Amino acid sequence: MTPPSHLGSIGQLLIEAGRLSRQQVEAALQRQSGTVDTSLIGEILVQEGAISQWELLDFLFRQLTREREEYRNNPTFTPAIRFVDVEKVLDGRRVLKGVSLAIPKGKITAIIGVSGGGKSVTLKHMIGLMRPDRGEVWVGDRVLSGLSRKELVAVRSRFSMLFQGSALFDSLNVFDNVAFPLREMTRLPEADIRSRVEKALCQVNLDGMGDKFPDDLSGGMMKRTALARAMVTLPEIILLDEPTAGLDPIIENSIHHLICDTYMRSRYTMVVITHAVPEIFNWCHHAVVLHEGAILEAGPSLEVLHSKHPVIQQLINGALTGPIKVI
Amino acid sequence: MFSLVQRLGSAFLELLQFMGHMFLFLINILWCVVTPRYRPRNLLKQIHFIGVRSLFVIILTATFAGMVLALQGFYILSRFGSEGMVGPMVALAIIQELGPVLTALMVTGRAGSAMAGELGVMRIKEQVDALEVMGINPVNYLISPRLEASIISLPVLTAIFNVVGILGGYLVAVHLLGMSAGTYWGGIESKVGPRDIYISMIKSVSFGVLVAWVCTYMGYYANRGAEGVGRSITQAVVLSSVLVLVLDYFITALML
């Protein structure tokens, strides 16, 4: 029997997996004053000592691994975003050459490939920052290229994006950066904005850091702030453009755990562009390999990981010799 | 020969495309100025940046412009025995020409370059894209307040320039060169009319639009990293300054 929803998705997972009993979770929640936010149950359980932070992250990672294996055995999905024969020419170069792909709804998709292969351009097409020269980009049942600006804004409200350089506003502190989309695009009272921002900062382990400015933050903290800003609007789809670029391996691992944690909490559709290969194959359900503006392979990440395609093998192994000439 | 014609034609087409793009950008800004969402806090911030923080440099420039004009004017006019006309000469030159033009040039150098730089950095750091993704119109959020602030600030700064410049002229003409205060002020009173003030204000509003338009355009479309931002700042200052002088000629020709 599925545990009740007031225990939150993480509470439910922990009980179902037998890691904690329902009594343990409920006891931890009862010790909280006021209404309990179900998306913060993981933090509450850690705070109450029911489980350690590390155990929780490891548990979520193992859950994701199980889900990825299930997806490999049954790779059926509803597409959240579809590309149909998309072509794009930039500065006289064909960056996308008839790309057709589907992004599974409610799953983590990684788009990998060598630099200049068209990954960021693909991501910008998904959110309408670029329009295809030919072909169509579908988000749900809407074709982006046919939308007016107002309709595009409505479609974009379903998205959030974490930019490669975080794209935080230098003149605003962490709190105001995260609050920015809520203040600008909603009519929520300031008290509600404050509680949502504090919750988002708590989810990315930045509670108490709201008054810092972007200049005072490390690379990892900037990414976490950007992720909090992406989550605070409660989007359906989160696009992440190289979330671990320029970070050391430990911070990279923590960002991957954070992405997993965010996914497990809210089951967003997530699209990650990354060069963190082969690590990313541990963190995504679906993988798309883009090379020279064309799709080489797309499917469950565990299938793509074992692809025999020489370009993909070279990409995964990081070999200097192979079809991709680097020297 | 054919290749020269081809290159000239290509350059002309590029210029045409650039001008068309700039013009469409201006239409877009003006549309955003009259359509919601209005952000009074952003507008006040920009008025403070463009207007209040330019005040010192405007006062300094105006003082010395008025002083040198009185000094030069006195010695030139004394050759014709007309040194009594120093007051009106200083006042008219400042109100009709130097006030609006020098104010626009100073604002271009101080605030226009900063506008181009700030927007350029926002562009290359993907902050403009971030606004788009959030569903916020970047022109409405970033550019409109700057244009509005420039339109409001330039006439006020010009008026301050005019007053301070005339006072600078007074200091030199009366206290240094020994002219009587009555002659200085009396000449101004009899020769300067409301139409001169009107021309000054028309020019300053026009320059306000021009400076904000050119500088924000250059910053907003900056690319190719730090070098691109540096280039956009230079282009903003040079193009804006040149266009101020060109526009000044045409407005003067039209209004005299």
Side-chain angles (χ1 to χ4, degrees):
Chain A
M1 199 179 95
T2 310
S5 61
H6 76 272
L7 300 178
S9 57
I10 290 188
Q12 287 173 321
L13 277 175
L14 287 163
I15 295 166
E16 276 177 337
R19 178 62 189 78
L20 291 177
S21 68
R22 183 174 165 178
Q23 287 73 22
Q24 279 178 295
V25 176
E26 283 182 335
L29 298 187
Q30 273 165 10
R31 286 195 287 272
Q32 301 297 305
S33 56
T35 318
V36 173
D37 188 332
T38 53
S39 67
L40 290 178
I41 284 190
E43 281 74 15
I44 292 168
L45 293 172
V46 170
Q47 193 188 318
E48 293 295 329
I51 189 169
S52 75
Q53 179 80 44
W54 184 86
E55 281 174 315
L56 178 64
L57 291 175
D58 186 55
F59 169 78
L60 293 175
F61 172 60
R62 280 188 279 114
Q63 285 297 314
L64 181 67
T65 306
R66 208 184 67 193
E67 284 186 16
R68 287 167 47 236
E69 276 159 10
E70 281 168 14
Y71 178 64
R72 179 193 200 175
N73 298 329
N74 182 22
T76 52
F77 60 82
T78 312
I81 304 168
R82 273 189 310 128
F83 277 44
V84 182
D85 200 21
V86 170
E87 285 227 8
K88 184 71 181 176
V89 177
L90 288 174
D91 295 331
R93 194 171 76 89
R94 277 176 78 207
V95 182
L96 297 182
K97 301 170 184 168
V99 168
S100 293
L101 64 85
I103 302 295
K105 189 174 183 179
K107 302 221 177 298
I108 304 176
T109 299
I111 301 180
I112 59 170
V114 291
S115 299
K119 301 186 297 296
S120 292
V121 172
T122 303
L123 208 66
K124 285 183 176 173
H125 276 82
M126 286 181 190
I127 203 162
L129 286 176
M130 283 186 176
R131 293 194 176 209
D133 296 330
R134 207 190 76 195
E136 289 170 343
V137 178
W138 291 73
V139 175
D141 56 355
R142 315 288 310 260
V143 186
L144 289 190
S145 50
L147 300 181
S148 66
R149 181 167 177 91
K150 203 173 173 184
E151 289 168 327
L152 191 60
V153 168
V155 171
R156 279 181 183 157
S157 67
R158 297 165 57 189
F159 281 86
S160 271
M161 185 163 173
L162 187 153
F163 287 87
Q164 194 175 340
S166 303
L168 299 176
F169 300 112
D170 306 316
S171 57
L172 303 179
N173 63 23
V174 166
F175 185 94
D176 290 335
N177 259 293
V178 178
F180 186 82
L182 296 177
R183 285 181 179 147
E184 286 296 325
M185 295 310 289
T186 68
R187 291 177 188 276
L188 286 174
E190 191 57 30
D192 291 358
I193 291 175
R194 177 159 288 278
S195 90
R196 273 171 73 168
V197 172
E198 280 168 358
K199 183 176 127 187
L201 289 176
C202 181
Q203 285 176 350
V204 297
N205 304 319
L206 280 177
D207 30 346
M209 307 286 275
D211 55 351
K212 297 255 186 229
F213 279 83
D215 284 349
D216 305 327
L217 303 179
S218 66
M221 286 159 90
M222 283 172 82
K223 298 280 184 189
R224 282 190 275 155
T225 307
L227 188 60
R229 187 174 70 181
M231 290 189 309
V232 80
T233 52
L234 309 176
E236 293 168 37
I237 304 167
I238 300 186
L239 309 178
L240 302 106
D241 189 359
E242 299 198 28
T244 57
L247 301 178
D248 64 60
I250 298 167
I251 303 292
E252 179 183 298
N253 193 20
S254 78
I255 295 286
H256 284 149
H257 272 291
L258 189 59
I259 291 170
C260 168
D261 179 39
T262 306
Y263 169 77
M264 284 298 185
R265 249 180 245 274
S266 311
R267 299 284 168 177
Y268 299 118
T269 300
M270 297 177 105
V271 184
V272 188
I273 282 186
T274 184
H275 286 123
V277 177
E279 290 80 6
I280 193 63
F281 286 100
N282 295 325
W283 302 97
C284 65
H285 302 88
H286 194 84
V288 177
V289 184
L290 254 179
H291 184 61
E292 293 178 347
I295 303 282
L296 282 191
E297 197 150 332
S301 58
L302 293 170
E303 292 292 329
V304 175
L305 180 64
H306 297 108
S307 164
K308 296 278 181 277
H309 197 293
V311 170
I312 298 173
Q313 278 309 307
Q314 189 185 357
L315 198 64
I316 290 169
N317 300 326
L320 291 178
T321 54
I324 307 168
K325 302 290 175 210
V326 285
I327 297 174
Chain B
M1 179 66 187
F2 179 71
S3 109
L4 179 72
V5 172
Q6 207 172 25
R7 267 187 301 190
L8 280 174
S10 162
F12 179 71
L13 285 178
E14 266 178 35
L15 178 70
L16 218 57
Q17 190 185 21
F18 171 71
M19 286 164 61
H21 196 231
M22 272 194 83
F23 183 70
L24 288 177
F25 182 70
L26 179 64
I27 301 286
N28 193 2
I29 311 173
L30 294 174
W31 174 248
C32 287
V33 166
V34 295
T35 50
R37 181 178 167 185
Y38 306 111
R39 294 177 173 85
R41 188 179 289 211
N42 270 10
L43 176 61
L44 287 175
K45 194 176 146 194
Q46 290 305 324
I47 289 176
H48 178 259
F49 179 70
I50 297 171
V52 179
R53 290 179 61 186
S54 298
L55 209 53
F56 177 73
V57 74
I58 291 296
I59 290 173
L60 198 68
T61 316
T63 308
F64 284 98
M67 285 164 72
V68 78
L69 213 57
L71 198 62
Q72 281 279 11
F74 185 85
Y75 286 109
I76 293 171
L77 290 171
S78 62
R79 291 185 196 175
F80 310 104
S82 310
E83 51 276 38
M85 297 307 284
V86 166
M89 194 217 78
V90 168
L92 286 172
I94 284 181
I95 291 171
Q96 286 201 10
E97 287 302 327
L98 292 181
V101 171
L102 283 181
T103 302
L105 294 180
M106 289 299 126
V107 168
T108 300
R110 206 204 65 78
S113 56
M115 269 192 246
E118 190 183 348
L119 291 170
V121 170
M122 288 188 81
R123 167 66 73 189
I124 64 164
K125 286 173 90 175
E126 296 180 307
Q127 292 170 17
V128 176
D129 285 343
L131 287 172
E132 283 263 14
V133 170
M134 288 175 206
I136 299 163
N137 183 344
V139 174
N140 187 294
Y141 184 79
L142 296 171
I143 313 294
S144 302
R146 286 171 166 83
L147 183 85
E148 291 160 356
S150 189
I151 293 174
I152 294 167
S153 302
L154 261 283
V156 177
L157 289 173
T158 302
I160 293 168
F161 189 108
N162 293 346
V163 171
V164 175
I166 292 169
L167 285 174
Y170 166 83
L171 278 179
V172 169
V174 175
H175 294 285
L176 194 72
L177 302 170
M179 200 175 157
S180 87
T183 312
Y184 187 83
W185 293 120
I188 292 175
E189 203 180 333
S190 64
K191 301 289 179 200
V192 178
R195 186 179 157 76
D196 302 310
I197 313 283
Y198 173 68
I199 291 174
S200 189
M201 289 300 111
I202 292 280
K203 282 186 177 180
S204 62
V205 170
S206 310
F207 297 158
V209 174
L210 183 78
V211 169
W213 171 36
V214 173
C215 294
T216 55
Y217 176 86
M218 290 301 173
Y220 192 72
Y221 290 105
N223 54 17
R224 298 182 204 282
E227 190 197 335
V229 175
R231 197 172 46 241
S232 76
I233 295 170
T234 308
Q235 286 173 339
V237 172
V238 172
L239 186 62
S240 184
S241 305
V242 170
L243 288 180
V244 162
L245 296 173
V246 172
L247 185 63
D248 181 49
Y249 172 80
F250 285 107
I251 296 177
T252 307
L254 206 70
M255 303 211 68
L256 281 180

